[in-house]
Amino acid sequence: MPQPACLFSPLCFTAPPRVWVDEMNQRTQDGSLETDSSDSSNTAEGLYAQGIAAYQKKAYAEAEKLFTRALAEQPDAADAWHMRGICCLMLNRLGEAETFIRKAIEIRKVAAFYANLGAVLTRAQKFGEATAAYRESLALNPGNTSIRSSLGNLFKNLGEWQQAEALYRKAPEDDAFALADLGGLLLRRGSYVEAEQVLRRSLALNPAIASATETLGAVLEQTGRIDEAVPLFKATGRWGQLARSLRKQAAWRYLANADAAIISNLQRGQPNTVAPWTLLNLPDLTPQLQRQAALDFAINQFGAALQQRPRVNAVARNGPLRIGYLSADFYDHATMRLLAGVLEAHDPARVEVHLLSINRRAAKDSDAYAKRIAAMPAAFHDLAQLSDAQAAQRIVKIAPHLLIDLKGYTADARPSITVMRPAPVIVNWLGYPGTLGHPRLADYIIGDPVVTPPGHAQDFSETLALMPHCYQPNDRSRPLDAAASRAEAGLPESGFVFCSFNQFIKINPSTFDIWCRLLAATPGSVLWLLDGHKPDTGQAHLRREARQRGIADERLVFAPVKAPPAHLARLRLADLALDTFPYNSHTTASDALWAGVPLVTRIGQTFASRVAASLLTAHGLPELIAQDDEAYFALALSLANEPDKLRGIRQKLDAARLASPLFDTVGFTRDLERLYEAIWRQQSVPRNERTALILPP
């Protein structure tokens, strides 16, 4: 069945590469700085010492000036060239950093020089050269396990997991940092048992390794041991990851404290403790805090890359617009279930479509979408095996006018590609419900008058580009079979059926409170929820939470995961779908409306909390949108207890299925193509002068 895209773990992104600084002036005799005892403050040696002191105070600009003065006194001082390069690295002047460190290497070949050159080249995303630099460093100092781990981390981030693992395993058995790195790799591979063993060995050797503590917490969370994971996440201050893990398993005992810590850190200007994708479920998140957190994440993650020259500045237009769709989801995935019909309906006379796949899991022959993708009026490009820099260069050669980022900050995303700006215009659409925070990552975000009204423009780093009805596409070709029987679906033969087929991560305690109140006020009713979560402790946790609210176990019915046609058929047995807040139903909302099941939602201020309202408005049912919790409860209760009112809504839904803009795939596609043209026409306007693009119906 369709499910929203899983948000990725922050472990998918790593800290900047390590920098080696010889703060004790280690030098060899052939390249040592000479001392002039007459006035040490102005000698090369004295200036170098002052530079080291300034560097240690993180006064990098001052330190760089001192190293420059030292070099004026002694131009062949390799250490001063090296430290000048390190200062430039810290100041995000990567080109100068590379030049100065290479100058140091010309004078004297030192393992630390090569290692730091590798760090500079990694940040500059020159991964091939970075690999060579680390290898030179290891050749000079084969026993340096830290340098070996840095090369391993580079391979890990490039997806070369076998090479990374081989390097980690070559480290001595007592190398705690190498064990921590290996544990992170094993986690990403799903080897949870060995990952736990390795990480516990790492922490036994060095309990202060924060990455090992956090990764062990993630391993425990993935294996359903959330109570053991909680203190580890708290110890590292990873409140966002903790809150996300708690929600995934409906383990709410510590959730209020975690949420409060996140909001407090954001309000105090400390967003580094959370990542943007962990914020979408927070009831107290404001659009302003969300944008600031996204900006901080982008700066922290991409650093100097945000100021580097784009891979491409302009692309000539001599025919149809070339559109590049960048995604990891060109297979049987929620995104494709929404988007496939649009890709098929594109007019080749208006747009030339390129599908840019960045996931090794492409559609297989047995995949429901393999044949459809092959028959689409689009060129398919497999970029999965390429590094980010190589993928960006391939996109430059394809030369799309508009690059549509369908991932943003979601699972399997590779924003290091878009940060290189391989197309003149980049558009954030569909995958991530919010701003990416920094204008480098996207020029526009596609929304609509409900989900991103013009009055909310200040909440986005992107310029708003509004579809006339709804930003979310739908595939009208999806089959809608006859409803299954209640017995086949595991439902009682009688009684009102409330449903919510969202992942547990979207269910907040306050929303569950309302659902239990509805069950209590509607005798004989049941709440139909989605099963199939891994680990499977969430179901037990929800039953426990229901009992604490006076609701018996049998009032919660869990549905196993089924293929989309079978799921849509059984979904028609539900009487009323209940939306989650503040992270609304997305694909699950479209499923309900396509199946003719009324959906009650509560609208909020963030993008994620306005999606269902957007769908309902486009479908002609704004009366199902509530403004607050009590209105949401009252609306759902009235539909559950007034059969005639509910029957009228269902009849309206049946009539709207093939008449409303929400499920008019071809009409949506023509509107989208018009919006692409409007974006392209405005791309020559300076960014600070652009206004929201509002496409009329």
Side-chain angles (χ1 to χ4, degrees):
M1 63 159 286
Q3 298 181 46
C6 298
L7 300 176
F8 56 57
S9 161
L11 296 171
C12 292
F13 283 124
T14 58
R18 178 179 173 182
V19 174
W20 284 263
V21 176
D22 183 11
E23 296 176 350
M24 299 305 295
N25 288 347
Q26 103 175 359
R27 291 183 291 279
T28 57
Q29 292 182 356
D30 62 333
S32 61
L33 293 164
E34 298 177 357
T35 302
D36 181 348
S37 59
S38 61
D39 184 1
S40 62
S41 64
N42 289 311
T43 64
E45 179 79 11
L47 291 165
Y48 182 86
Q50 294 173 54
I52 290 292
Y55 179 89
Q56 291 172 334
K57 295 176 183 177
K58 298 184 179 181
Y60 302 125
E62 178 186 350
E64 197 236 332
K65 291 178 182 178
L66 289 164
F67 293 130
T68 303
R69 289 175 58 194
L71 287 165
E73 298 294 324
Q74 190 172 336
D76 62 347
D79 298 298
W81 282 112
H82 173 240
M83 287 307 304
R84 186 180 178 189
I86 294 297
C87 289
C88 289
L89 171 61
M90 296 303 179
L91 294 167
N92 289 326
R93 289 154 48 191
L94 297 185
E96 293 171 88
E98 179 183 348
T99 298
F100 298 149
I101 295 177
R102 287 192 185 277
K103 179 66 175 177
I105 291 171
E106 288 177 10
I107 299 170
R108 189 172 81 252
K109 291 177 170 48
V110 177
F113 293 1
Y114 277 109
N116 284 333
L117 178 61
V120 171
L121 293 168
T122 297
R123 292 198 191 180
Q125 304 199 358
K126 297 179 179 179
F127 299 121
E129 295 179 60
T131 300
Y134 282 129
R135 288 195 186 282
E136 289 285 352
S137 182
L138 279 176
L140 290 166
N141 189 353
N144 192 312
T145 57
S146 295
I147 296 173
R148 183 180 292 113
S149 287
S150 290
L151 179 56
N153 291 338
L154 176 57
F155 281 135
K156 179 173 67 176
N157 293 330
L158 292 175
E160 302 293 342
W161 291 359
Q162 289 184 337
Q163 293 191 64
E165 183 175 350
L167 286 165
Y168 296 149
R169 292 191 185 277
K170 285 182 180 178
E173 293 184 358
D174 62 350
D175 187 334
F177 287 95
L179 289 168
D181 291 332
L182 176 60
L185 178 61
L186 293 168
L187 168 63
R188 293 178 68 173
R189 269 191 1 200
S191 302
Y192 300 131
V193 173
E194 187 182 4
E196 181 180 352
Q197 295 171 348
V198 165
L199 291 164
R200 290 196 184 280
R201 280 166 47 204
S202 173
L203 289 168
L205 291 165
N206 187 344
I209 301 179
S211 63
T213 302
E214 181 185 348
T215 307
L216 179 59
V219 170
L220 296 173
E221 183 263 318
Q222 288 290 330
T223 54
R225 295 147 66 188
I226 191 65
D227 285 341
E228 295 178 60
V230 166
L232 300 178
F233 287 131
K234 291 173 71 174
T236 57
R238 291 294 186 180
W239 297 106
Q241 181 68 3
L242 171 59
R244 174 171 157 70
S245 298
L246 294 171
R247 284 186 167 87
K248 281 176 65 178
Q249 297 182 42
W252 298 334
R253 183 165 42 150
Y254 313 99
L255 187 58
N257 288 340
D259 284 355
I262 293 170
I263 295 297
S264 175
N265 286 346
L266 292 174
Q267 290 173 336
R268 288 184 293 135
Q270 298 177 343
N272 274 336
T273 57
V274 293
W277 57 89
T278 65
L279 300 175
L280 299 174
N281 310 81
L282 267 66
D284 295 328
L285 179 68
T286 66
Q288 296 76 28
L289 289 176
Q290 183 179 13
R291 177 174 179 176
Q292 182 57 46
L295 173 62
D296 185 82
F297 174 80
I299 293 172
N300 185 60
Q301 184 62 44
F302 304 112
L306 297 170
Q307 278 74 48
Q308 288 179 4
R309 181 179 178 181
R311 289 297 178 96
V312 64
N313 293 309
V315 175
R317 171 81 183 278
N318 296 313
L321 270 178
R322 280 189 299 279
I323 307 297
Y325 287 104
L326 184 69
S327 180
D329 304 328
F330 294 119
Y331 64 95
D332 190 0
H333 180 278
T335 297
M336 277 301 287
R337 293 168 197 147
L338 293 173
L339 188 61
V342 170
L343 297 177
E344 291 170 332
H346 267 313
D347 181 357
R350 304 180 69 176
V351 296
E352 177 186 310
V353 176
H354 295 264
L355 307 182
L356 310 170
S357 177
I358 53 174
N359 190 348
R360 288 189 169 98
R361 182 179 174 180
K364 308 300 182 185
D365 291 341
S366 58
D367 190 294
Y369 288 87
K371 291 183 179 178
R372 292 184 67 177
I373 290 172
M376 288 174 181
F380 185 88
H381 306 270
D382 185 358
L383 311 181
Q385 306 298 330
L386 303 181
S387 70
D388 292 337
Q390 291 170 331
Q393 190 58 43
R394 180 74 62 84
I395 294 170
V396 170
K397 291 180 179 179
I398 295 167
H401 299 100
L402 273 61
L403 180 63
I404 315 300
D405 180 5
L406 295 172
K407 294 304 299 176
Y409 294 138
T410 57
D412 300 315
R414 292 171 63 180
S416 291
I417 295 174
T418 51
V419 80
M420 289 184 239
R421 299 292 304 187
V425 181
I426 298 177
V427 180
N428 172 18
W429 181 42
L430 193 58
Y432 180 70
T435 181
L436 301 183
H438 195 286
R440 174 87 178 198
L441 294 170
D443 302 286
Y444 293 87
I445 183 170
I446 293 180
D448 61 55
V450 175
V451 80
T452 52
H456 290 198
Q458 71 278 2
D459 300 329
F460 298 86
S461 61
E462 306 90 344
T463 299
L464 300 182
L466 307 187
M467 292 286 284
H469 303 292
C470 181
Y471 86 103
Q472 182 173 291
N474 277 283
D475 185 0
R476 184 179 278 191
S477 68
R478 287 186 299 169
L480 192 58
D481 299 336
S485 70
R486 281 197 169 207
E488 290 172 329
L491 293 168
E493 288 299 329
S494 61
F496 196 88
V497 178
F498 297 102
C499 80
S500 180
F501 284 98
N502 290 293
Q503 297 179 75
F504 292 167
I505 196 170
K506 288 190 175 184
I507 304 173
N508 273 314
S510 57
T511 300
F512 197 69
D513 287 342
I514 297 173
W515 293 356
C516 289
R517 287 173 59 196
L518 288 169
L519 290 171
T522 311
S525 62
V526 295
L527 177 59
W528 199 15
L529 300 167
L530 179 66
D531 197 358
H533 294 75
K534 297 296 180 185
D536 58 6
T537 52
Q539 184 180 134
H541 291 158
L542 281 176
R543 290 195 190 281
R544 181 187 65 197
E545 293 288 340
R547 287 195 298 272
Q548 292 174 352
R549 292 163 173 79
I551 302 300
D553 284 8
E554 61 269 18
R555 304 286 295 281
L556 269 58
V557 179
F558 291 89
V561 173
K562 287 186 176 293
H567 169 65
L568 288 172
R570 71 176 176 185
L571 184 54
R572 304 183 78 179
L573 297 170
D575 293 302
L576 183 64
L578 300 173
D579 197 16
T580 46
F581 183 87
Y583 197 170
N584 285 175
S585 309
H586 290 194
T587 307
T588 45
S590 289
D591 287 346
L593 297 177
W594 180 248
V597 179
L599 169 73
V600 172
T601 189
R602 176 193 163 181
I603 191 171
Q605 292 300 306
T606 61
F607 188 125
S609 67
R610 303 176 70 85
V611 171
S614 170
L615 271 64
L616 287 166
T617 300
H619 209 43
L621 288 159
E623 61 267 34
L624 296 182
I625 303 169
Q627 299 297 320
D628 55 41
D629 282 350
E630 285 308 309
Y632 173 91
F633 171 77
L635 177 56
L637 186 63
S638 69
L639 291 170
N641 288 276
E642 298 178 35
D644 290 341
K645 183 177 180 180
L646 181 63
R647 189 178 304 110
I649 294 291
R650 294 195 75 123
Q651 290 172 348
K652 192 173 179 181
L653 278 171
D654 288 338
R657 183 179 296 113
L658 298 179
S660 82
L662 185 62
F663 295 114
D664 180 1
T665 305
V666 173
F668 180 97
T669 307
R670 297 290 88 80
D671 286 339
L672 184 64
E673 291 166 350
R674 287 197 295 135
L675 188 61
Y676 287 163
E677 287 284 358
I679 289 172
W680 181 252
R681 286 194 300 271
Q682 189 172 256
Q683 61 92 22
S684 61
V685 177
R687 189 175 189 121
N688 60 356
E689 297 178 15
R690 294 175 188 168
T691 58
L693 293 173
I694 305 173
L695 198 68

